[in-house]
Amino acid sequence: MSSHFVAGTLITRDQINTRIAELAEEIERDHPGGGQILLVGVLKGGFMFMADLIRFMTNRVAVDFIAVSSYGKGTKSSGEVRMLKDLDTSIEGRDVIIVEDIVDTGLTLTYLQEILKARNPRRITTACLLSKPSRRQVDVKVDYVGFEIDDHFVVGYGLDFDERYRNLPHIAVLGQG
Ligand code: IMP
């Protein structure tokens, strides 16, 4: 059986902070008029990104959360997405932003965008802290991307491996030995 370890910092806490401030500014520029934005955080990985993003926003924002299954205990996607927790509120006629930790194959996000679009929001966009373009299996639109990264399995800043490492304040590469 192989073991895993945190190999090194890929993105520092400062880099994350600076980039999230820029994303918040971009989002607010794209949503003028002071109307309320509903941020939909995707659990569990997106919770830290969500918490930092809203602190840079000055618009009226509301938050809700949705949970979908991801990789379970491994580092490879099963390609199967399941809803574990739905939103508490209706999104009909609202300006919605999906807030996700990472887009890898794109299957999770495609599923989320499809089910939420079917509920007739006024507008729906997506913000992802990380994107691994080389791993994409479906062409999914991400409006706001924090960082594009190479094909590494990463942990920290909300992202886990088998429920570990979510508490790291930075993004680290998971090594295998
Ligand atoms: P996708 O459906 O393949 O795009 O995978 C998206 C989900 O898989 C994310 O929301 C994460 O929960 C998880 N995931 C993908 N890549 C990583 C990674 O490098 N580290 C931790 N979780 C990941």
Side-chain angles (χ1 to χ4, degrees):
M1 204 176 89
S2 66
S3 59
H4 295 84
F5 57 94
V6 174
T9 302
L10 186 66
I11 307 171
T12 66
R13 185 70 192 92
D14 280 353
Q15 288 172 312
I16 294 170
N17 219 40
T18 304
R19 186 69 187 119
I20 293 181
E22 290 169 358
L23 289 178
E25 208 179 304
E26 218 180 300
I27 288 170
E28 299 217 310
R29 215 182 305 131
D30 293 347
H31 294 78
Q36 194 189 63
I37 300 172
L38 175 68
L39 297 177
V40 169
V42 184
L43 296 173
K44 299 176 199 171
F47 77 94
M48 230 183 253
F49 177 36
M50 172 83 138
D52 281 342
L53 185 66
I54 56 166
R55 274 180 276 196
F56 284 110
M57 293 180 68
T58 53
N59 273 26
R60 274 182 60 202
V61 292
V63 300
D64 202 344
F65 293 92
I66 197 163
V68 289
S69 61
S70 63
Y71 288 171
K73 292 193 169 191
T75 59
K76 291 276 178 289
S77 175
S78 62
E80 197 184 294
V81 186
R82 258 180 334 123
M83 167 94 71
L84 302 176
K85 182 218 170 287
D86 203 344
L87 297 174
D88 297 334
T89 47
S90 164
I91 61 168
E92 192 170 349
R94 301 177 77 179
D95 282 356
V96 176
I97 304 177
I98 301 172
V99 180
E100 170 71 301
D101 54 356
I102 187 164
V103 51
D104 185 34
T105 62
L107 294 167
T108 307
L109 202 50
T110 301
Y111 168 84
L112 281 168
Q113 289 179 349
E114 276 171 10
I115 57 158
L116 295 182
K117 263 182 205 156
R119 299 179 188 182
N120 300 319
R122 191 168 83 101
R123 181 173 174 199
I124 184 158
T125 51
T126 303
C128 282
L129 181 67
L130 303 171
S131 171
K132 294 189 219 173
S134 66
R135 296 255 315 153
R136 213 67 96 241
Q137 284 178 22
V138 282
D139 188 20
V140 64
K141 186 171 182 228
V142 186
D143 306 87
Y144 308 99
V145 177
F147 302 91
E148 288 198 344
I149 62 169
D150 291 337
D151 182 11
H152 307 291
F153 193 85
V154 290
V155 293
Y157 196 72
L159 290 106
D160 76 311
F161 170 70
D162 198 9
E163 289 300 325
R164 286 186 66 189
Y165 311 119
R166 290 195 200 275
N167 53 321
L168 292 177
H170 56 273
I171 304 281
V173 174
L174 191 75
Q176 219 174 47

